Amino acid sequence: MAESSLYERLGGVCAIAAVIDHFSDAVVANPAVGKGSKNPALREWSVEEPGRLPGLKFMRTLWVCNVAGGPFEFTATKPGSTPLGLEEAHRELRISPEEFDEVAAELGRTLDYFKVPEREKGEVLSAFAAHKGEVNEGYKEAAQTRR
Ligand code: HEM
């Protein structure tokens, strides 16, 4: 019998949406990457764009469903070089590797909050980590032009 997908093991779209909802609120409240961030783009987005948060939650839910093998296709508003590519969605935000790690830690805490088993937690975090280079592209570019 074929092994069930990560999507199925996580409990499907509603379980994933609940995780993303909690995680996305936690990121906005996080002092390093949300409303109190030293990164002006992240701070301004968190403070000034609350109307974009429901859409971001929808897009992140779609992305996780897609990467986890669910029956939904993520269609980016700012397409990257691959269907799940995140470089254009994050370029202007200039997210540093440390900021990425803080967001990943927030995701880990959310997965613990929902008591997601270790194996599935590891798979979700690995799926995120695989796109770290893309999310950090804008930061790396800006660092090069400062040199
Ligand atoms: C691999 C890790 C990440 C994933 C899977 C992810 C997922 C996404 C997705 C799917 C979108 C919407 C893309 C679109 O509209 O085309 C998005 C946008 C966004 N992401 Fe991420 N993201 C990640 C890392 C981060 C990090 C570290 C931050 C820092 C706080 C962040 C903050 C944002 C913000 C503020 C937007 C919204 C931009 C807008 O207003 O359109 N993301 N992300």
Side-chain angles (χ1 to χ4, degrees), residues 39-87:
N39 175 337
L42 289 181
R43 188 176 65 243
E44 280 159 28
W45 192 92
S46 303
V47 173
E48 290 167 23
E49 303 283 2
R52 294 186 73 82
L53 189 57
L56 176 59
K57 289 176 178 177
F58 173 79
M59 295 300 278
R60 282 179 171 162
T61 299
L62 212 51
W63 191 93
V64 172
C65 286
N66 196 162
V67 84
F72 304 103
E73 199 172 319
F74 171 73
T75 308
T77 63
K78 295 181 183 171
S81 59
T82 60
L84 291 173
L86 294 171
E87 62 274 29

